[in-house]
Structures are given as C-alpha cells and as structure tokens.
Amino acid sequence: PFALDAIEPKLHHVLLLAEPAPVDAAERIGDHTPGSEYAMIGAEIHARYPNGLARATLGVDVVDRALSTTATARNLPTAQKSAVALAG
C-alpha cells in the first residue's frame, strides 16, 4: 500500500493477524507513532516505520490488545520470502 521507492523495504513491516481485522480496527488501534503510517488489508496490517521498528509504539502487543487477536510481524523482505516459500 506504500510506494516502494518511498521507504527502505526493511522499514516496511507486515503484521499478520490470526483473523481478518474488524471494520473498526483503525479506530481501535489509533495513532501510535508520529511519522509512521499503516494500512489494513484483510488479515494484514502494513506498517511503515521511517525511524525503524525499535522506536515505534505500534507493535504486535498493541494490535493484540486492541483487536483481541494474535499477530506476528515481519519486515517486508522476510514476508515476501516466506510467501514464496509457502507458495512453492
């Protein structure tokens, strides 16, 4: 959901949810990290952390609590490698 040339791929993270995000997910999660942005696509949350994940406050624990689900996060290159491995 973000322009690929706008950020280093390792600063783009995919949070994989155990189930699709509810319609009010963005409202429940809120705005956590200045300068960061996120987009929800089904059971995935794509987060862009321009200052790195270490300084971000929107992480798996926040998503788990806000959405009452279980999530795991991977940077974009790792998520893409995993998708290829699972597909083939």
Side-chain angles (χ1 to χ4, degrees):
F2 310 115
L4 292 178
D5 61 343
I7 188 168
E8 285 185 65
K10 69 179 184 177
L11 299 177
H12 177 155
H13 285 72
V14 181
L15 288 82
L16 304 166
L17 309 177
E19 54 206 38
V23 293
D24 65 342
E27 183 178 302
R28 290 165 61 178
I29 292 171
D31 184 20
H32 283 273
T33 306
S36 296
E37 59 185 322
Y38 64 91
M40 284 171 273
I41 303 170
E44 299 175 357
I45 298 175
H46 289 256
R48 177 174 118 18
Y49 303 119
N51 298 318
L53 183 60
R55 293 184 177 95
T57 58
L58 174 61
V60 171
D61 56 338
V62 170
V63 171
D64 286 352
R65 281 194 309 273
L67 303 183
S68 300
T69 190
T70 302
T72 186
R74 300 291 181 266
N75 67 27
L76 185 60
T78 301
Q80 289 172 325
K81 288 176 188 174
S82 296
V84 168
L86 290 171

